[in-house]
Amino acid sequence: MIRFGVVGYGYWGPNIVRGLSSLKGAQVAAVSDIDTSALHKVRQHYPSVQCYQDYRDILKDPSIDAVAVVTPVSTHYAIARKALEAGKHIFVEKPFTATTQQAEALIRLAQKKALKIMVDHTFIFTGAVRKIKEIIRKNTLGDIFYYDSTRVNLGLFQSDVNVIWDLAPHDFSIMDHVLHKKPEALVAHGMDHFDRGQENLAFITIYFADKMIGHLNVNWLSPVKIRSTLIGGKKKMLVWNDLASDEKIKIYDRGIKVKSKESINRLKVDYRSGDMWSPRVEHDEALRRELKYFCDCIEKDQVPINDGHAGLRVVKLLNITDQSIKKGGKLIKIQGSG
Amino acid sequence: MIRFGVVGYGYWGPNIVRGLSSLKGAQVAAVSDIDTSALHKVRQHYPSVQCYQDYRDILKDPSIDAVAVVTPVSTHYAIARKALEAGKHIFVEKPFTATTQQAEALIRLAQKKALKIMVDHTFIFTGAVRKIKEIIRKNTLGDIFYYDSTRVNLGLFQSDVNVIWDLAPHDFSIMDHVLHKKPEALVAHGMDHFDRGQENLAFITIYFADKMIGHLNVNWLSPVKIRSTLIGGKKKMLVWNDLASDEKIKIYDRGIKVKSKESINRLKVDYRSGDMWSPRVEHDEALRRELKYFCDCIEKDQVPINDGHAGLRVVKLLNITDQSIKKGGKLIKIQGSG
Amino acid sequence: MIRFGVVGYGYWGPNIVRGLSSLKGAQVAAVSDIDTSALHKVRQHYPSVQCYQDYRDILKDPSIDAVAVVTPVSTHYAIARKALEAGKHIFVEKPFTATTQQAEALIRLAQKKALKIMVDHTFIFTGAVRKIKEIIRKNTLGDIFYYDSTRVNLGLFQSDVNVIWDLAPHDFSIMDHVLHKKPEALVAHGMDHFDRGQENLAFITIYFADKMIGHLNVNWLSPVKIRSTLIGGKKKMLVWNDLASDEKIKIYDRGIKVKSKESINRLKVDYRSGDMWSPRVEHDEALRRELKYFCDCIEKDQVPINDGHAGLRVVKLLNITDQSIKKGGKLIKIQGSG
Amino acid sequence: MIRFGVVGYGYWGPNIVRGLSSLKGAQVAAVSDIDTSALHKVRQHYPSVQCYQDYRDILKDPSIDAVAVVTPVSTHYAIARKALEAGKHIFVEKPFTATTQQAEALIRLAQKKALKIMVDHTFIFTGAVRKIKEIIRKNTLGDIFYYDSTRVNLGLFQSDVNVIWDLAPHDFSIMDHVLHKKPEALVAHGMDHFDRGQENLAFITIYFADKMIGHLNVNWLSPVKIRSTLIGGKKKMLVWNDLASDEKIKIYDRGIKVKSKESINRLKVDYRSGDMWSPRVEHDEALRRELKYFCDCIEKDQVPINDGHAGLRVVKLLNITDQSIKKGGKLIKIQGSG
């Protein structure tokens, strides 16, 4: 039984508490929030959970094994560091930290203390992404040409982050998980329509090895919600519509068949247009699966796939995106990623 | 009655001949094509039309008033120039010319000879684009934040042009027609996956005055065909799905209501989420409407909206897109557009 | 504060308990279920709620004002009768009872004891049905020609009821609520593919006054889930897709314009094809709204719209549907409905 | 080379003439129409075709091998009979004839004169229906439980026929072609909202052997066009959306798995919910394929699948549908069909 303290009971915190409560191997021992009305809700739903306004009270409890940090990103580092120092494993909301330096410091500290870090990249635990990973691993798509994601909606303007830090972590962590290529360069363009100092839409292009290209379209001002990703491969192509209640993933036996280099220039390209296949996608709750995996990693002393390094890679891309926009859309080389 | 010669009877030429044949005020007098099998088809369907292999035979016919140039873009300039020199009005397939210099030379020549140029920007004559123009003109959307178009399909790899010259002229001419802002800068990223020297996908960002931003996603390697455009305004937002058989245009009474600058940073933004309205869109054939308009412009000596200058503006953006990609995604300022 | 006892904690019971618990004016005092594992769940989530295996223990508690009957339909009558006899208001899961005689007996008993009956026709409290009712009440559609519903899915074969008793109560109660016409006759056809003595698909046609016709297609063997209703009126037509996450209701300014009776036969009918309009539909939880309304009806001593008579009208149609199928698709006149 | 005369150049006639003109083995020699403006159009597009107002002039031409009858259904019999008497093969627009007696008389006459009859059941030549037939023939779906078609739109009110004769021949001919069961009984309900003596909507239920059931929903007053068919089988289920530009047919690996009869009653049924598969459907023009097949049948002296008997079977079902409605929704047994 792993005993958890949860720091932060705002938008996402209740999901973490509910998810942990549903696991046999986990128990929520304490929750902290600076907002007493949030704590009031905790007491109503979970009368046996200890409530604190100061998260440091959680860290003092020696019976607590792990701490979930579900607060604004600007506070992740300080809380996570103290939790590690107190000997707690940490589960940190995405994005991991505000800077790569912070992420690196936490990784070092966890390593020194032999503690686990898991970054909450929930999407990679969904049935859809697990199926996509399986399809790519089996080389069903062949060499991948591009990953093109549209992630737009009429979004809540957040005070502390821009649309990139809100929406792009999903795609950055998914690409990191399913594609087997390192990002080599990134360029981004965005707009801050309301002079807030925070972009509300952005277009991000990522260059990977071997001519693979990624593109993200993130936008807080779209009248319709779109969560659509095209992945084009040499052998087959995949469309993932995450909002579809059914048939989220479709694999098309379509593409071009290059006879020879010469032939392309001369228009002697064959087009294939075959069947479409939509594999069944599991519907179990991703967050619950992720939390269970975290408990397993702790108990079996295994390194999670979404560990501090995975969190660092995402933070690095977020930082480079911000830099590229600040420099007027400059292409930025990515050093030693991975 | 305006008598036409049509140069080129390949993919699009038959549509031009059919469109002109259906008009009361127009007559196709002659068609030329270097391919005799194309001419054979003309004779079958239009026994009374004169057929030539050499387009210069069309220019020699003094009874011909106007020439439609429906050949590959690399040949537009030479044919159009000779047609103007022979005293013919010209209707030129999009994109107008291969370079801005060519476009400017044709504009000057036409002006000198008092002849009309129309560039075949068919899309601006569709019911959908005419409705969008009307909506924007009436300021239904309010100040426009962005124009975001996805135009992808499993496309024919063309030997002479890249995906940009194939697909982007549509959006460039539509933006030119419906938005009332000058493009100020452009930046583009693309990929040539098959080492053809021609991009098969590209992402183009255009900066307009007053923080309006445009974005095009064009791709010849998409398993599904998408023709979808989001236009976000301060008052309302529009979605145009050109592949929908019905309800092509939807206008959403959605957006954010900014109380004060201060309030945004503090998250005190109101969200509106009201009704949706899908105006009826006329279904008449756009090309036929455009050709009729060309005849009217000739007869009434009027300047077409899609004249040589409109064609030039599109060619300029195409050239800048190519330049930006060649320079590794450099942002290029646009001088004196419009 | 109205104190509730809830009989039955199977599939729907937890929703009733959760809904009541979220209301300020209501309190769940006790829950009963013959299954002890169900009671175990109650104790986990609601430690302060009294749990019983025998529902009669609930009826003995004089502090309980109202009883929700959330058990299989065959047991509704016995439980509801005893609850009324014990002086409790009753909230009964749909369909109200297994026979019209049972429904009539409960109505009489409640009247005698001055107690409220509410039948859980949840759908009429959804944003979509409330909007449809408003549209029809304002005569936006004009005289209604037909109500045509498709309600199919890969459904759980229930042991005690057929597909009609499972799915048709929704449409019967919605038609009862939004249309202002009495059903005059009903005819139904169905099939029991597995020799269970229970139909797994059925097609039901209902004749109303003034040539209004209703049609239901209910099916437990459909690979896709469909919840789609067309309502055709003389002035406008409505499409309700209850599975759409957005734009659930669309109103089409389409129809035919009859110039004169003579003209129709001579094909001189005008077709209108105008705009489409999708009104905003409220998203609040229907069940919670219904339960709050039940509490209000008790406190203000008002008759609910979904009272015992409404429940009886639905049960009558269900019985007639079964009869019609048993008699090989006989058209059955409906006496004195409403 | 088979020489054709085409009687009737209204709505569908031009498609027949165009289709025949595109075939190598066929030639349109003459067209007749009582409307001279129709003939004017023929002369414009097909200068070499002979034009007549009186179809009997076509029959007099000994060089003509076959006659296409593309006139209102009430005239089919008289024209077809005279054509057969004149020694011409006949291609007759659907529905074949107005009565079964007429159909039987034409079949006898053709047999006596050794001439071919083909009834224009175009749909069975589409890529979609050919694929469905193939799927059913291979027993991919297993035993078929039901065929449920919705075929509604805002339709042209035709002066001479009701919605059943307009829309139901499609489904009757498709069911006749793809299902391998005889219809045993039929029952229909309809409504004539405008007192024209012709129904504008109808619901038709057809009982086949082995508990297979068919259902058609045809409606001329629907705001949206729907062409959707569900075919439920024991092993798999199929959805055909004929309006989809892509993925017209979807096959779902879904259904219920019956362990034993007893188990169903006790709710011990397993649900399967597996992958979906959308086979590629050929896009070639169905009418052209059908006309080519007619020429082949004449040349090779073969009996078409859509011969007079197929036409008769469809007319029989149309007549029974009308009868059932006239008798207030009476179930009518079908004698010796097939």
Side-chain angles (χ1 to χ4, degrees):
Chain A
M1 176 68 70
I2 295 166
R3 287 170 57 85
F4 275 85
V6 177
V7 180
Y9 199 79
Y11 170 68
W12 193 243
N15 296 329
I16 302 284
V17 174
R18 186 164 42 81
L20 288 170
S21 300
S22 77
L23 292 178
K24 286 194 179 168
Q27 189 184 355
V28 179
V31 170
S32 77
D33 200 296
I34 49 173
D35 179 1
T36 53
S37 71
L39 295 178
H40 181 70
K41 282 181 204 154
V42 178
R43 280 190 203 99
Q44 268 193 309
H45 288 91
Y46 306 94
S48 63
V49 168
Q50 196 69 36
C51 288
Y52 302 112
Q53 264 197 279
D54 189 331
Y55 74 91
R56 286 170 297 190
D57 291 330
I58 290 179
L59 305 187
K60 285 176 197 156
D61 181 344
S63 78
I64 286 176
D65 307 295
V67 167
V69 182
V70 204
T71 55
V73 62
S74 58
T75 67
H76 285 186
Y77 174 68
I79 299 169
R81 187 171 55 82
K82 290 211 181 84
L84 290 170
E85 285 169 354
K88 316 298 190 197
H89 303 287
I90 56 171
F91 180 90
V92 185
E93 195 37 42
K94 64 97 195 157
F96 184 25
T97 53
T99 68
T100 54
Q101 290 76 15
Q102 292 175 349
E104 285 160 353
L106 293 177
I107 291 169
R108 277 193 305 270
L109 181 56
Q111 204 153 14
K112 202 176 112 190
K113 309 270 284 185
L115 294 164
K116 301 292 171 202
I117 298 176
M118 179 173 281
V119 181
D120 184 12
H121 294 161
T122 325
F123 250 109
I124 67 174
F125 294 88
T126 59
V129 174
R130 286 186 295 125
K131 180 60 76 176
I132 291 171
K133 187 175 174 68
E134 177 193 326
I135 288 162
I136 290 178
R137 203 190 53 229
K138 288 181 177 169
N139 202 28
T140 303
L141 305 183
D143 292 343
I144 291 175
F145 293 136
Y146 63 86
Y147 175 104
D148 181 8
S149 170
T150 304
R151 190 175 292 275
V152 304
N153 54 270
L154 197 60
L156 195 68
F157 276 64
Q158 299 184 17
S159 58
D160 56 335
V161 298
N162 58 22
V163 70
I164 297 155
W165 285 71
D166 181 34
L167 298 178
H170 296 305
D171 290 294
F172 285 154
S173 61
I174 295 166
M175 287 192 290
D176 181 65
H177 185 61
V178 304
L179 304 175
H180 300 287
K181 291 270 164 41
K182 286 189 191 180
E184 299 185 334
L186 184 151
V187 58
H189 311 286
M191 190 58 83
D192 168 19
H193 281 105
F194 302 97
D195 297 325
R196 297 170 59 240
Q198 301 281 24
E199 284 73 23
N200 51 272
L201 63 77
F203 310 110
I204 307 168
T205 303
I206 308 130
Y207 292 89
F208 293 84
D210 300 321
K211 291 198 168 189
M212 191 166 82
I213 192 165
H215 189 256
L216 311 189
N217 181 336
V218 290
N219 187 346
W220 271 344
L221 279 181
S222 167
V224 287
K225 187 175 183 178
I226 305 176
R227 295 287 183 268
S228 173
T229 303
L230 309 183
I231 306 179
K234 198 166 186 174
K235 288 160 60 181
K236 288 194 171 57
M237 292 171 178
L238 184 151
V239 177
W240 168 31
N241 178 4
D242 201 55
L243 301 185
S245 58
D246 210 356
E247 303 165 33
K248 278 183 197 290
I249 295 176
K250 294 179 173 181
I251 299 158
Y252 292 86
D253 187 14
R254 288 185 191 161
I256 68 160
K257 204 169 143 189
V258 183
K259 289 172 178 176
S260 73
K261 223 175 188 179
E262 184 199 38
S263 66
I264 290 189
N265 294 320
R266 300 189 176 197
L267 270 175
K268 291 194 177 151
V269 182
D270 275 354
Y271 292 82
R272 284 182 303 102
S273 180
D275 295 356
M276 183 270 279
W277 167 65
S278 180
R280 186 173 169 274
V281 166
E282 282 186 66
H283 279 82
D284 56 347
E285 205 199 339
L287 179 57
R288 193 174 179 279
R289 178 181 281 265
E290 185 184 23
L291 292 166
K292 185 174 184 319
Y293 173 61
F294 184 45
C295 295
D296 288 352
C297 286
I298 291 171
E299 292 197 332
K300 299 176 187 164
D301 192 18
Q302 289 177 348
V303 179
I305 48 173
N306 50 332
D307 64 352
H309 291 283
L312 167 60
R313 291 194 296 273
V314 168
V315 170
K316 192 185 253 181
L317 292 179
L318 292 169
N319 273 307
I320 291 174
T321 303
D322 280 352
Q323 280 175 46
S324 175
I325 291 177
K326 277 203 186 68
K327 294 185 179 173
K330 191 178 184 309
L331 184 87
I332 297 183
K333 293 274 168 63
I334 301 171
Q335 306 296 332
S337 54
Chain B
M1 177 65 71
I2 295 166
R3 288 170 55 83
F4 274 85
V6 177
V7 180
Y9 199 78
Y11 170 68
W12 193 243
N15 295 328
I16 301 284
V17 172
R18 186 163 43 80
L20 288 170
S21 300
S22 76
L23 294 177
K24 285 194 179 167
Q27 191 183 355
V28 178
V31 170
S32 77
D33 200 296
I34 50 173
D35 178 1
T36 53
S37 71
L39 296 177
H40 181 68
K41 282 181 204 156
V42 178
R43 281 189 201 98
Q44 268 193 310
H45 287 93
Y46 306 94
S48 64
V49 168
Q50 198 67 37
C51 289
Y52 302 112
Q53 265 198 277
D54 190 332
Y55 75 92
R56 286 170 298 189
D57 291 330
I58 288 180
L59 305 187
K60 284 176 197 158
D61 181 343
S63 79
I64 285 176
D65 307 296
V67 167
V69 181
V70 203
T71 55
V73 63
S74 58
T75 67
H76 285 185
Y77 174 68
I79 298 170
R81 186 170 57 80
K82 289 211 180 84
L84 289 171
E85 285 169 354
K88 317 299 191 197
H89 303 287
I90 55 171
F91 179 92
V92 185
E93 194 37 41
K94 64 95 195 159
F96 185 25
T97 54
T99 68
T100 53
Q101 290 75 16
Q102 291 175 350
E104 286 161 352
L106 293 177
I107 291 169
R108 278 194 304 271
L109 182 57
Q111 203 153 14
K112 200 175 113 189
K113 308 271 286 184
L115 292 165
K116 302 291 173 204
I117 297 176
M118 180 173 279
V119 180
D120 184 12
H121 294 161
T122 324
F123 249 109
I124 67 174
F125 294 88
T126 58
V129 174
R130 287 186 294 125
K131 180 59 77 177
I132 292 171
K133 188 176 174 65
E134 178 193 326
I135 287 162
I136 291 178
R137 204 191 53 230
K138 288 181 176 170
N139 201 31
T140 302
L141 305 184
D143 292 344
I144 291 175
F145 292 135
Y146 64 85
Y147 175 106
D148 181 9
S149 170
T150 304
R151 191 175 291 276
V152 304
N153 55 271
L154 197 61
L156 194 67
F157 277 65
Q158 298 184 18
S159 58
D160 56 336
V161 297
N162 60 21
V163 69
I164 297 155
W165 285 71
D166 181 33
L167 297 178
H170 296 305
D171 291 294
F172 285 154
S173 61
I174 295 166
M175 287 192 289
D176 182 66
H177 184 61
V178 305
L179 304 175
H180 300 287
K181 291 269 164 42
K182 286 188 192 180
E184 299 186 334
L186 185 151
V187 57
H189 311 285
M191 190 57 84
D192 166 21
H193 282 104
F194 302 98
D195 298 324
R196 297 168 60 241
Q198 303 281 23
E199 283 75 21
N200 50 271
L201 64 76
F203 310 110
I204 307 168
T205 302
I206 308 130
Y207 292 90
F208 294 85
D210 301 322
K211 293 199 166 187
M212 191 166 82
I213 192 165
H215 188 256
L216 312 188
N217 181 335
V218 291
N219 186 346
W220 272 343
L221 277 182
S222 167
V224 286
K225 187 175 183 176
I226 304 176
R227 295 287 184 268
S228 173
T229 303
L230 308 183
I231 306 180
K234 198 166 183 175
K235 288 160 60 181
K236 286 194 171 56
M237 293 173 177
L238 184 152
V239 177
W240 167 31
N241 178 3
D242 202 54
L243 301 184
S245 59
D246 210 355
E247 304 164 31
K248 277 183 197 292
I249 295 175
K250 294 179 173 181
I251 299 158
Y252 292 85
D253 187 14
R254 288 185 191 161
I256 68 159
K257 205 169 143 188
V258 183
K259 288 172 178 174
S260 73
K261 225 178 189 174
E262 186 199 38
S263 67
I264 290 188
N265 292 321
R266 299 187 179 198
L267 272 175
K268 293 197 176 148
V269 182
D270 275 354
Y271 291 81
R272 284 183 302 101
S273 180
D275 295 358
M276 183 270 279
W277 167 66
S278 180
R280 188 173 167 273
V281 165
E282 284 187 65
H283 278 82
D284 57 346
E285 205 199 338
L287 179 57
R288 195 173 177 278
R289 177 181 280 264
E290 184 185 25
L291 292 166
K292 185 174 183 318
Y293 172 61
F294 185 45
C295 294
D296 288 352
C297 287
I298 292 171
E299 291 196 332
K300 299 175 185 164
D301 193 18
Q302 290 177 349
V303 179
I305 48 173
N306 51 332
D307 64 353
H309 291 284
L312 168 59
R313 290 194 297 271
V314 169
V315 170
K316 193 186 254 181
L317 292 180
L318 293 169
N319 271 307
I320 291 173
T321 304
D322 279 353
Q323 279 174 48
S324 175
I325 290 176
K326 276 201 188 70
K327 293 183 180 173
K330 190 181 185 306
L331 184 87
I332 296 182
K333 294 272 167 64
I334 301 171
Q335 307 295 333
S337 56
Chain C
M1 177 68 70
I2 295 165
R3 287 170 57 85
F4 275 85
V6 177
V7 180
Y9 200 79
Y11 169 67
W12 193 243
N15 296 329
I16 302 285
V17 173
R18 186 163 42 79
L20 288 170
S21 300
S22 76
L23 293 178
K24 285 192 180 168
Q27 190 183 355
V28 178
V31 170
S32 77
D33 201 294
I34 49 172
D35 179 0
T36 53
S37 70
L39 295 177
H40 181 69
K41 282 181 204 155
V42 177
R43 281 189 202 99
Q44 268 193 309
H45 288 91
Y46 307 95
S48 63
V49 168
Q50 198 66 39
C51 288
Y52 302 112
Q53 264 197 279
D54 190 333
Y55 74 91
R56 287 171 297 189
D57 291 329
I58 289 180
L59 306 186
K60 285 175 199 160
D61 181 344
S63 78
I64 286 177
D65 308 295
V67 167
V69 181
V70 204
T71 55
V73 64
S74 58
T75 67
H76 285 185
Y77 174 68
I79 299 170
R81 187 169 56 81
K82 289 211 181 83
L84 290 170
E85 285 169 355
K88 317 297 189 196
H89 303 286
I90 55 171
F91 179 91
V92 185
E93 195 35 44
K94 64 95 194 159
F96 185 24
T97 54
T99 69
T100 54
Q101 290 76 14
Q102 292 176 348
E104 286 161 352
L106 293 178
I107 291 169
R108 277 194 305 270
L109 182 56
Q111 204 154 14
K112 201 175 113 190
K113 309 270 285 184
L115 293 165
K116 302 291 171 201
I117 297 175
M118 179 173 280
V119 181
D120 184 12
H121 294 162
T122 325
F123 250 109
I124 67 174
F125 293 87
T126 58
V129 174
R130 287 186 295 126
K131 180 59 78 176
I132 291 170
K133 186 175 175 67
E134 176 194 327
I135 288 162
I136 290 177
R137 203 190 54 228
K138 288 180 178 170
N139 201 30
T140 303
L141 305 183
D143 292 344
I144 291 175
F145 292 137
Y146 64 86
Y147 174 105
D148 181 7
S149 170
T150 303
R151 190 175 293 275
V152 304
N153 54 270
L154 197 60
L156 195 66
F157 276 65
Q158 299 183 18
S159 57
D160 57 336
V161 298
N162 59 20
V163 70
I164 297 156
W165 284 72
D166 180 33
L167 297 179
H170 296 306
D171 290 296
F172 285 154
S173 61
I174 295 166
M175 287 192 291
D176 182 65
H177 184 61
V178 304
L179 305 175
H180 300 287
K181 292 268 165 41
K182 286 188 190 180
E184 299 186 335
L186 185 151
V187 58
H189 311 286
M191 190 57 84
D192 166 21
H193 281 105
F194 302 97
D195 297 324
R196 297 169 60 241
Q198 303 279 24
E199 284 74 20
N200 51 272
L201 62 77
F203 311 110
I204 307 168
T205 303
I206 309 130
Y207 292 90
F208 294 84
D210 301 321
K211 291 199 168 189
M212 191 166 82
I213 192 165
H215 189 256
L216 311 189
N217 182 334
V218 289
N219 187 344
W220 271 343
L221 278 182
S222 167
V224 286
K225 186 175 183 178
I226 305 177
R227 295 288 183 266
S228 174
T229 304
L230 307 183
I231 305 179
K234 199 166 184 174
K235 287 160 62 181
K236 287 194 171 55
M237 294 172 177
L238 184 151
V239 177
W240 168 31
N241 177 3
D242 201 55
L243 301 185
S245 58
D246 210 356
E247 304 165 31
K248 278 184 197 291
I249 295 176
K250 294 179 173 182
I251 299 158
Y252 292 85
D253 187 13
R254 288 186 190 159
I256 69 158
K257 203 169 143 188
V258 183
K259 289 172 178 174
S260 73
K261 225 176 186 175
E262 184 199 39
S263 67
I264 290 188
N265 293 321
R266 299 187 177 198
L267 269 175
K268 291 195 178 149
V269 182
D270 275 354
Y271 291 83
R272 284 183 302 101
S273 179
D275 294 357
M276 182 271 279
W277 167 66
S278 180
R280 187 173 168 273
V281 166
E282 282 187 65
H283 279 82
D284 56 347
E285 205 199 338
L287 179 57
R288 194 174 176 279
R289 178 181 281 265
E290 185 184 24
L291 292 166
K292 186 175 181 320
Y293 173 61
F294 184 45
C295 294
D296 289 352
C297 286
I298 291 172
E299 292 197 332
K300 299 176 188 166
D301 192 19
Q302 289 177 350
V303 178
I305 48 174
N306 50 331
D307 64 353
H309 292 283
L312 168 59
R313 292 194 296 273
V314 168
V315 170
K316 190 186 255 182
L317 292 179
L318 292 170
N319 272 307
I320 291 174
T321 304
D322 279 353
Q323 280 175 46
S324 175
I325 290 177
K326 278 204 185 66
K327 293 185 179 173
K330 191 180 184 310
L331 184 87
I332 297 184
K333 293 274 168 64
I334 300 172
Q335 307 296 331
S337 55
Chain D
M1 177 68 70
I2 296 165
R3 287 170 56 85
F4 274 86
V6 177
V7 180
Y9 199 77
Y11 169 69
W12 194 243
N15 295 329
I16 302 284
V17 173
R18 186 164 43 81
L20 288 169
S21 300
S22 76
L23 293 178
K24 284 194 179 166
Q27 190 183 356
V28 178
V31 171
S32 78
D33 199 296
I34 50 173
D35 178 1
T36 53
S37 71
L39 295 177
H40 181 70
K41 282 181 204 156
V42 177
R43 280 189 202 98
Q44 268 193 309
H45 288 92
Y46 306 95
S48 63
V49 168
Q50 198 67 38
C51 289
Y52 302 112
Q53 265 198 277
D54 190 331
Y55 74 91
R56 287 171 296 191
D57 290 331
I58 288 179
L59 305 186
K60 284 176 198 159
D61 181 344
S63 80
I64 285 176
D65 308 297
V67 167
V69 181
V70 203
T71 56
V73 64
S74 58
T75 66
H76 284 185
Y77 175 67
I79 299 170
R81 187 171 55 82
K82 289 209 182 85
L84 289 170
E85 284 169 355
K88 316 298 190 197
H89 303 287
I90 56 171
F91 179 91
V92 185
E93 194 38 42
K94 64 96 196 156
F96 185 24
T97 54
T99 68
T100 54
Q101 291 74 15
Q102 291 175 350
E104 286 161 353
L106 293 177
I107 291 169
R108 279 194 303 271
L109 182 56
Q111 203 154 14
K112 200 174 113 190
K113 308 272 285 184
L115 293 165
K116 301 291 172 204
I117 297 176
M118 180 173 280
V119 180
D120 184 12
H121 294 162
T122 325
F123 250 108
I124 67 174
F125 293 88
T126 58
V129 174
R130 286 186 295 125
K131 180 60 74 176
I132 291 170
K133 188 177 173 67
E134 177 193 327
I135 288 162
I136 291 177
R137 204 191 53 230
K138 288 181 178 170
N139 201 31
T140 303
L141 305 184
D143 292 344
I144 290 175
F145 293 135
Y146 65 86
Y147 175 106
D148 181 8
S149 170
T150 303
R151 190 174 292 275
V152 304
N153 54 270
L154 197 62
L156 195 66
F157 276 66
Q158 298 184 19
S159 58
D160 56 336
V161 297
N162 59 20
V163 69
I164 297 155
W165 285 71
D166 181 32
L167 297 179
H170 296 305
D171 290 296
F172 285 154
S173 62
I174 294 165
M175 285 191 291
D176 182 66
H177 184 61
V178 304
L179 305 175
H180 300 287
K181 292 270 163 42
K182 286 188 191 180
E184 300 186 335
L186 184 150
V187 58
H189 310 285
M191 190 57 83
D192 167 20
H193 281 105
F194 302 97
D195 297 323
R196 297 168 61 240
Q198 302 280 22
E199 285 74 21
N200 50 272
L201 63 77
F203 310 109
I204 308 167
T205 303
I206 308 130
Y207 292 90
F208 295 83
D210 300 322
K211 292 200 167 187
M212 191 166 82
I213 192 164
H215 188 256
L216 311 188
N217 181 336
V218 290
N219 186 348
W220 271 343
L221 278 182
S222 167
V224 286
K225 187 174 184 178
I226 305 176
R227 296 287 184 267
S228 174
T229 303
L230 308 184
I231 304 179
K234 198 166 185 176
K235 288 160 60 181
K236 286 194 171 55
M237 295 174 175
L238 184 152
V239 177
W240 168 31
N241 177 4
D242 202 54
L243 301 184
S245 58
D246 210 355
E247 303 164 33
K248 277 183 198 292
I249 294 175
K250 294 179 175 181
I251 298 158
Y252 292 85
D253 187 13
R254 289 186 191 160
I256 67 159
K257 204 168 142 189
V258 183
K259 288 172 179 176
S260 73
K261 225 178 188 175
E262 185 199 37
S263 67
I264 289 189
N265 293 322
R266 300 189 177 197
L267 269 175
K268 293 200 177 145
V269 182
D270 274 353
Y271 292 81
R272 284 183 303 100
S273 180
D275 295 356
M276 184 271 279
W277 167 65
S278 180
R280 189 175 167 272
V281 165
E282 283 188 65
H283 279 82
D284 57 347
E285 206 200 338
L287 179 58
R288 193 173 179 277
R289 178 181 281 265
E290 185 185 24
L291 291 166
K292 186 174 182 318
Y293 172 61
F294 184 46
C295 295
D296 289 351
C297 286
I298 292 171
E299 291 196 333
K300 298 176 186 164
D301 193 19
Q302 289 177 350
V303 179
I305 48 174
N306 51 331
D307 65 353
H309 292 282
L312 168 60
R313 291 194 295 271
V314 169
V315 170
K316 190 185 257 183
L317 293 179
L318 292 169
N319 272 307
I320 291 174
T321 303
D322 280 352
Q323 280 175 47
S324 176
I325 290 177
K326 277 204 187 66
K327 294 184 181 174
K330 190 181 186 307
L331 184 87
I332 297 182
K333 293 273 168 64
I334 301 171
Q335 307 295 334
S337 56

